[in-house]
Amino acid sequence: MHAPGVERVLARSQLLALPDANAKLVCLEGRLWLTRDGDGEDYILGPGQRFVARHGDRVVVQALQPSRLRLSA
């Protein structure tokens, strides 16, 4: 069973900005690069990997290849 949420498809190099994230992001296909404002670490997600952003986090996601992801609360 999949968690409810919104699925997004990103083309290679496409960006997705989450100005007030407060969400769980799961990579379903492809490869994603994430950065969070104020966090010195960057994150690379492959299929099945997740990233949890807190309320107020500003996150930018970039597809390193064609990718599909799910955002849920």
Side-chain angles (χ1 to χ4, degrees), residues 10-45:
L10 299 179
R12 182 177 183 262
S13 299
Q14 187 176 356
L15 296 173
L16 174 64
L18 304 170
D20 185 9
N22 196 30
K24 178 172 64 174
L25 185 148
V26 179
C27 180
L28 301 173
E29 294 177 22
R31 199 156 177 83
L32 302 169
W33 168 82
L34 289 89
T35 188
R36 177 173 38 197
D37 195 32
D39 186 344
E41 190 170 339
D42 290 343
Y43 304 88
I44 303 292
L45 300 182

